[in-house]
């Protein structure tokens, strides 16, 4: 079926997107009508205390959906000796799980045993974008929570070092196209990255270049000061862009200037079609917001769970 997707920013945009039968916009209308306002209030409270929360929640949702679908498997804690997704190297820097815990506690008080952790995370990710000035969209609901989580599967996550063909394959395996790749990469508008995610571009890049030649030289020099070779400073790194708590289209402008942090960001200029989208989004926040909202609905509709957890950290 097709639903109207309203995207709000400074402008109102209306578009259409085909939605799978498993999810619906009115899934909780009778069983938990206050679910969205409860989650929004929880995210707002967390953001007031910690400005890094929106970036963390959005990244958490991405990392959840790319492994076994959007089933909240990323939220599960270690059970005995088995290592879960949280323990996988790409997820060691995930944080703000308390936001989902708090939202789940508040939702359970209002509607016990009804709302999945996967839906809470999808709604919280939308709220995180809105709170930082980005678009809003109607989130389809009805996801179930998964019972399986393996650290080894986090190798499937797209890495900041990926080239264009690796990115294309990673997204296509999940039913996402090149337009989705460019739009969803705009999530890098928010947050902070540790040196380890981009250090390979700054030192001994290849046999002929010490520094990745696609990086703006002055930008590379500033990054080298923050991330010298073999740095042991645990929290050294850089903001993803100059406005790390504001969701906007600056990310795309930086790519065109050779000032993006990751190889995977700069790789978006490799293909004419993705380069055209980067240029379009750099020139139009409206175009980016509309594309981002549509691609978020598409990505968050990759489902795979089986139950509604009572506690987001453990299976029932």
């Amino acid at each position: 079926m097709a639903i109207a997707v309203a995207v709000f920013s400074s402008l109102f945009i209306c578009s259409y997107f085909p939605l799978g039968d498993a999810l619906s916009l009115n899934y909780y209308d009778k069983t938990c009508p206050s679910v969205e306002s409860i989650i929004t209030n929880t995210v707002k409270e967390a953001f007031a205390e910690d400005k890094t929360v929106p970036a963390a929640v959005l990244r958490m949702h991405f990392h959840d959906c790319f492994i076994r679908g959007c089933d909240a498997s990323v939220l599960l804690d270690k059970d005995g000796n088995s290592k879960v997704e949280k323990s996988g190297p790409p997820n060691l820097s995930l944080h703000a799980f308390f936001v989902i815990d708090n939202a789940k506690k508040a939702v359970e008080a209002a509607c016990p045993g009804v709302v999945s952790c996967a839906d809470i995370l999808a709604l919280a990710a939308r709220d995180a974008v809105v709170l930082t000035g980005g678009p809003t969209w109607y989130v389809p609901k009805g996801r179930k929570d998964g019972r399986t989580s393996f650290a080894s599967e986090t190798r499937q996550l797209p890495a900041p070092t990926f080239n264009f063909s690796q990115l294309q394959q990673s997204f296509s395996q999940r039913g996402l196209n090149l337009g989705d790749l460019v739009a969803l990469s705009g999530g890098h508008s928010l947050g902070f990255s540790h040196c380890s995610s981009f250090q390979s571009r700054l030192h001994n890049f290849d046999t002929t270049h010490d520094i990745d030649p696609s990086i703006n030289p002055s930008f590379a020099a500033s990054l080298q000061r923050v991330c010298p070779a073999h740095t042991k400073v645990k929290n050294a790194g850089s903001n993803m862009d100059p406005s790390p708590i504001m969701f906007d289209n600056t990310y795309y402008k930086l790519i065109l200037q050779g000032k993006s942090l990751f190889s995977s960001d700069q790789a978006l200029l490799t293909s004419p079609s993705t380069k055209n989208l980067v240029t379009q989004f750099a020139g139009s926040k409206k175009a980016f917001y509309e594309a981002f909202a549509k691609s978020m609905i598409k990505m968050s509709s990759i489902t795979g769970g089986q139950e509604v957890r009572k506690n987001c950290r453990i299976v029932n």
Side-chain angles (χ1 to χ4, degrees), residues 234-308:
K234 185 178 178 182
N235 293 320
S238 172
N239 290 327
M240 296 299 293
D241 77 13
S243 53
I245 60 171
M246 184 183 299
F247 191 94
D248 56 25
N249 62 337
T250 303
Y251 164 79
Y252 298 102
K253 298 174 185 178
L254 294 174
I255 293 177
L256 295 174
Q257 296 166 18
K259 295 180 179 179
S260 58
L261 280 186
F262 299 159
S263 298
S264 59
D265 296 327
Q266 209 62 41
L268 299 180
L269 299 184
T270 305
S271 150
S273 64
T274 54
K275 184 176 182 178
N276 285 342
L277 282 173
V278 170
T279 304
Q280 182 185 347
F281 295 163
S284 171
K285 190 185 285 188
K286 171 186 170 182
F288 166 46
Y289 280 8
E290 181 177 27
F292 184 81
K294 286 173 68 175
S295 291
M296 281 295 288
I297 292 168
K298 189 173 176 183
M299 181 194 73
S300 73
S301 298
I302 306 170
T303 55
Q306 300 83 36
E307 66 182 21
V308 174

Side-chain angles (χ1 to χ4, degrees), residues 104-287:
K104 178 65 170 174
K105 184 177 179 181
V107 169
E108 285 295 304
C111 326
V114 172
V115 181
S116 67
C117 300
D119 275 346
I120 290 172
L121 181 51
L123 287 161
R126 187 271 312 273
D127 293 339
V129 171
V130 175
L131 280 172
T132 50
T136 192
W137 58 93
Y138 297 123
V139 177
K141 296 167 284 290
R143 296 164 192 79
K144 293 291 188 285
D145 299 323
R147 296 180 55 82
T148 305
S149 184
F150 295 121
S152 58
E153 292 185 346
T154 59
R155 296 186 199 123
Q156 300 168 24
L157 289 167
T161 53
F162 269 15
N163 61 32
F164 179 75
S165 62
Q166 290 171 312
L167 289 169
Q168 185 176 22
Q169 181 180 17
S170 177
F171 275 66
S172 66
Q173 285 171 345
R174 292 157 177 86
L176 301 171
N177 60 32
L178 292 179
D180 300 317
L181 165 62
V182 179
L184 293 173
S185 293
H188 289 167
S189 169
L190 296 176
F192 173 91
S193 172
H194 292 99
C195 294
S196 57
S197 293
F198 56 87
Q199 198 147 18
S200 62
R201 304 182 74 197
L202 305 176
H203 311 283
N204 302 314
F205 178 68
D206 61 23
T207 53
T208 53
H209 303 94
D210 187 40
I211 298 170
D212 181 345
S214 68
I215 300 187
N216 175 289
S218 62
F219 181 61
S222 69
L223 291 178
Q224 283 181 320
R225 287 191 290 274
V226 176
C227 302
H230 314 298
T231 181
K232 295 289 191 289
V233 180
K234 185 178 178 182
N235 293 320
S238 172
N239 290 327
M240 296 299 293
D241 77 13
S243 53
I245 60 171
M246 184 183 299
F247 191 94
D248 56 25
N249 62 337
T250 303
Y251 164 79
Y252 298 102
K253 298 174 185 178
L254 294 174
I255 293 177
L256 295 174
Q257 296 166 18
K259 295 180 179 179
S260 58
L261 280 186
F262 299 159
S263 298
S264 59
D265 296 327
Q266 209 62 41
L268 299 180
L269 299 184
T270 305
S271 150
S273 64
T274 54
K275 184 176 182 178
N276 285 342
L277 282 173
V278 170
T279 304
Q280 182 185 347
F281 295 163
S284 171
K285 190 185 285 188
K286 171 186 170 182

Side-chain angles (χ1 to χ4, degrees), residues 48-92:
E49 296 293 322
D50 182 353
K51 298 305 181 189
T52 70
V53 158
V57 170
L58 182 59
R59 183 166 178 248
M60 194 188 300
H61 182 48
F62 280 141
H63 284 217
D64 182 39
C65 293
F66 266 69
I67 307 293
R68 295 179 174 267
C70 312
D71 67 344
S73 53
V74 74
L75 303 178
L76 288 171
D77 282 343
K78 183 177 175 182
D79 180 20
N81 294 321
S82 62
K83 288 197 170 182
V84 291
E85 288 171 38
K86 276 182 183 174
S87 313
N91 285 342
L92 292 176

Side-chain angles (χ1 to χ4, degrees), residues 23-63:
L23 304 180
S24 69
L25 295 178
N26 58 2
Y27 192 83
Y28 297 116
D29 280 6
K30 293 181 180 177
T31 55
C32 194
S34 58
V35 59
E36 297 209 23
S37 60
I38 292 171
I39 293 168
T40 299
N41 288 336
T42 303
V43 178
K44 278 183 179 175
E45 288 169 8
F47 181 48
E49 296 293 322
D50 182 353
K51 298 305 181 189
T52 70
V53 158
V57 170
L58 182 59
R59 183 166 178 248
M60 194 188 300
H61 182 48
F62 280 141
H63 284 217

